[in-house]
Amino acid sequence: MSVIYDRVALIGLGLIAGSMAHAMREAGLAREITGYARSAATRETAREIGLCDMVCDSAAEAVAGADLVVLAVPVGVMGTVAAEIAPHLAAGATVTDVGSVKQAVIAAVQPHIPAGVHFVPGHPLAGTEHSGPRSGFASLFRNRWWLLTPLPDSDAGAVDRLGRLITAMGAKMDRMEPAHHDLVLAVTSHAPHLIAYTMVGVADHLSRVADEEVIQYSAAGFRDFTRIAASDPTMWRDVFLHNKEATLDILGRFTEELFMLQRAIRMGDGPQLYDYFTRTRAIRRGIIEAGQDTEAPDFGRSPDAKGQDI
Amino acid sequence: MSVIYDRVALIGLGLIAGSMAHAMREAGLAREITGYARSAATRETAREIGLCDMVCDSAAEAVAGADLVVLAVPVGVMGTVAAEIAPHLAAGATVTDVGSVKQAVIAAVQPHIPAGVHFVPGHPLAGTEHSGPRSGFASLFRNRWWLLTPLPDSDAGAVDRLGRLITAMGAKMDRMEPAHHDLVLAVTSHAPHLIAYTMVGVADHLSRVADEEVIQYSAAGFRDFTRIAASDPTMWRDVFLHNKEATLDILGRFTEELFMLQRAIRMGDGPQLYDYFTRTRAIRRGIIEAGQDTEAPDFGRSPDAKGQDI
């Protein structure tokens, strides 16, 4: 694999930036990787584990001379970070981000991008419930989608080059309109996360009554919800606040549908429940066929089954 | 490991019964295992893969001379099956079940149990989204809870003996009141399953609009929901219809809580969201510490990471 960027600056050193660093190094895609994180403790950890070639004490220093700058911070601070680095960006550089929301990030970042610098918004559909500089691993993006939402005036060459980096890290690249991205993600990711957070919260109230039995007897369904609900609170707070319209739209549809099923339970309507559950099973099959998950059963996983190369 | 039962009859040959057959054989816990399933195709598959020592063409034949009879059929047909086998049960035999609901099963089965036969209701908190005679594996119960809900007049010797079988298959045994069991499971399993089914159904409606993009770009949260929502439709229909009160109670609490979070999103109340998500993260930690799940990240799993010994 050949070098695609001379110097890549990672702003924010969490799960996504860390995994990018590992993936770029493994495949030799960047000649040099610099990094910056707002927290001194994070910078120290990153230095300790050698996550980047150079961990800088300011974002300005990290982006100086970089031909690719990756904004890998919570969606709510993208604008602030963009304003901070703007005066220090090299002419001809590409700036991308990895935020889970695109319209709000574009609105916050785009005004700060100087002429001659290319802004190509993006979003890797990959993650785990872990966060921080130690949580990254090179294979995180493998066979996962990485969506780019270029702007109408995005430089075609800059988009293509970023696309080559993405596919070289093992991901599948696709393009999407920012508004459409935010709707699709609201249904596949944002609403499910809020629902999982909610269900775990309900259990929490109950567990106080029932002496932590709820935790002890955590069965299949709930265990998977807790995994989702253990994701980074800052990141998710920002996602909901910045993809408000689409998330609330999907949650409204969800509530309608839930009420219909609650009513079927109350009325004892077995055929309606059976038909509904049969349809949802077919969707799962579609996902497996699309290669986004495996057939391996997951609920019965034993404590020693890691199945992941961190 | 020594033989605990001379002859174990498995009524229903799906994931749980199949896994019990594998686990009992691996540890030599039963001298002979008989089996019966209502579907001729299931019986044929069970014979083909040698799941039991003998697959019978009637439940009556399967239970004849058995000192343990396991009812491993959907909750809605437990009563019918109990009525069918009752005249053929051996004196001194133990009958148990593996249903996810306990009060309704006890009400349906208990009246059919003849004098001199011991009924000890049970529920293994283990499963995968797969079903059928080929889906079982010996390690399904390893380190999982298996709850027994003995009746006030249950024979202590019979309960102890069944408990020894359960722990010998690798599970952790505990006892619970039937009503309390149904409440705890409503929050840890039944409500989460209904919610996952609902969210996948919402996506289904949307995917028809969006040309299956929803499936293609299935991200972390949604993928885990589809896994849950791919579970056996008959089993789950019966669970909801037979644990109606507790499930509707929990769903009511869930809706209240969801509305509160929706409102926080609409009002832009970041601190409330952040605090809520921080609390749910702590619950996840409790589950890991209780040994019911691993720390291994799961969202980024690659298609070749099986992590399960089927």
Side-chain angles (χ1 to χ4, degrees), chain A residues 96-181:
Chain A
T96 189
D97 77 292
V98 299
S100 308
V101 176
K102 297 277 54 85
Q103 292 176 104
V105 168
I106 292 168
V109 171
Q110 179 64 10
H112 300 291
I113 301 294
V117 171
H118 312 297
F119 177 42
V120 186
H123 177 205
L125 307 189
T128 75
E129 70 275 27
H130 298 299
S131 47
R134 292 186 193 275
S135 61
F137 51 99
S139 66
L140 178 65
F141 309 114
R142 202 173 292 157
N143 208 31
R144 295 279 160 257
W145 285 98
W146 193 312
L147 302 177
L148 294 182
T149 62
L151 306 171
D153 58 350
S154 283
D155 181 80
V159 176
D160 286 349
R161 193 171 166 199
L162 181 58
R164 275 189 286 129
L165 178 75
I166 288 167
T167 51
M169 289 190 295
K172 299 181 288 183
M173 202 271 276
D174 209 349
R175 297 177 190 208
M176 213 182 255
E177 287 296 314
H180 190 62
H181 167 279

Side-chain angles (χ1 to χ4, degrees), chain A residues 191 193-202 205 240-241 244 247-248 251, chain B residues 253-277 279-280:
Chain A
H193 269 81
L194 194 76
I195 287 162
Y197 277 121
T198 306
M199 190 62 227
V200 173
V202 169
H205 300 331
F240 297 126
L241 295 180
K244 184 186 290 197
T247 303
L248 291 176
L251 290 173
Chain B
R253 292 162 189 254
F254 170 83
T255 314
E256 268 175 31
E257 201 104 344
L258 181 62
F259 283 164
M260 183 200 69
L261 289 173
Q262 276 183 249
R263 184 175 179 280
I265 293 174
R266 203 179 295 279
M267 308 297 276
D269 189 343
Q272 186 178 10
L273 295 173
Y274 182 85
D275 290 350
Y276 201 92
F277 303 161
R279 274 208 310 282
T280 58

Side-chain angles (χ1 to χ4, degrees), chain A residues 144 174 180 213 217 301, chain B residues 144 174 180 213 217 301:
Chain A
R144 295 279 160 257
D174 209 349
H180 190 62
E213 277 171 319
Y217 301 116
R301 59 185 162 227
Chain B
R144 295 280 160 256
D174 209 348
H180 191 61
E213 278 171 319
Y217 301 115
R301 60 184 162 227

Side-chain angles (χ1 to χ4, degrees), chain B residues 43-235:
Chain B
R43 295 197 298 272
E44 201 174 319
T45 303
R47 283 189 187 111
E48 190 186 316
I49 63 176
L51 193 62
C52 306
D53 298 306
M54 184 167 67
V55 175
C56 307
D57 285 324
S58 76
E61 199 187 335
V63 305
D67 46 0
L68 177 67
V69 175
V70 182
L71 306 181
V73 295
V75 164
V77 293
M78 289 279 184
T80 313
V81 170
E84 195 179 329
I85 61 169
H88 310 281
L89 293 168
T94 294
V95 174
T96 189
D97 77 291
V98 298
S100 308
V101 176
K102 297 275 55 84
Q103 292 175 105
V105 167
I106 291 168
V109 170
Q110 179 64 13
H112 300 292
I113 301 294
V117 171
H118 313 295
F119 178 41
V120 186
H123 178 205
L125 307 189
T128 76
E129 70 275 26
H130 297 301
S131 48
R134 293 185 193 275
S135 62
F137 51 99
S139 66
L140 177 66
F141 309 113
R142 203 173 292 156
N143 208 31
R144 295 280 160 256
W145 286 99
W146 194 310
L147 302 176
L148 293 182
T149 62
L151 306 170
D153 59 348
S154 283
D155 180 79
V159 176
D160 286 349
R161 191 170 167 201
L162 181 58
R164 275 190 285 129
L165 178 75
I166 287 167
T167 51
M169 289 190 295
K172 299 182 287 185
M173 203 270 277
D174 209 348
R175 296 176 192 211
M176 214 182 253
E177 287 295 314
H180 191 61
H181 167 278
D182 289 354
L183 175 66
V184 170
L185 268 288
V187 73
T188 58
S189 171
H190 305 170
H193 268 81
L194 194 75
I195 287 161
Y197 277 121
T198 306
M199 190 61 227
V200 174
V202 169
D204 183 33
H205 299 331
L206 221 77
S207 76
R208 290 198 193 111
V209 181
D211 250 321
E212 321 216 292
E213 278 171 319
V214 168
I215 286 180
Q216 187 166 4
Y217 301 115
S218 161
F222 188 68
R223 250 193 304 142
D224 280 22
F225 277 41
T226 62
R227 192 178 274 276
I228 298 174
S231 303
D232 186 56
T234 305
M235 173 191 155

